[in-house]
Amino acid sequence: MPLWRVPGIDAEPEIILDAWQICKSNEDTYHFTGYHMGGGRCSSKIVSFNLKELTGKTRSGRIYKLVEGRRGWNGDAAATASNWARFNDMTFETVAPEDVMLPSRI
């Protein structure tokens, strides 16, 4: 369940994330966090990730494109990820993209 309503996948099938990070939860799931269109964003569970292309697909079916060279911290994104994790009774730790162990098929 989202913290607030986001456009449905039909209206927003792709998200471009700036100031992005990948977080691993205590449930061994990975999530994108970052800055998108004026605010923080935290994805549902990542189901596939292509490190070379910096793209990933989440459980919702949405495609996330990570801006190359813009990996980093953003206050809005950090707050959103923290709230999302707390709401879903999880903890997050940031991981390096090369440490994500998921299929690379998008």
Side-chain angles (χ1 to χ4, degrees):
M1 177 189 292
L3 293 173
W4 53 84
R5 289 218 177 267
V6 296
I9 192 164
D10 291 334
E12 197 174 54
E14 293 184 355
I15 299 290
I16 297 173
L17 280 184
D18 195 10
W20 58 270
Q21 295 186 49
I22 299 175
C23 296
K24 185 176 181 182
S25 78
N26 59 309
E27 296 178 0
D28 288 329
T29 58
Y30 296 95
H31 303 264
F32 296 117
T33 65
Y35 190 77
H36 173 73
M37 304 273 298
R41 192 75 176 238
C42 184
S43 76
S44 58
K45 173 184 168 182
I46 303 170
V47 296
S48 62
F49 178 65
N50 184 318
L51 177 61
K52 183 178 176 184
E53 300 292 324
L54 290 177
T55 59
K57 185 175 185 179
T58 61
R59 180 180 53 213
S60 69
R62 195 167 313 226
I63 302 295
Y64 281 78
K65 295 182 177 184
L66 310 176
V67 178
E68 188 171 357
R70 298 288 297 165
R71 180 176 166 210
W73 187 87
N74 173 275
D76 287 342
T80 299
S82 176
N83 288 332
W84 195 94
R86 186 173 39 252
F87 184 79
N88 288 286
D89 199 27
M90 293 179 170
T91 58
F92 277 157
E93 68 174 287
T94 302
V95 297
E98 54 273 10
D99 292 340
V100 174
M101 300 300 199
L102 292 168
S104 62
R105 217 171 353 108
I106 303 294

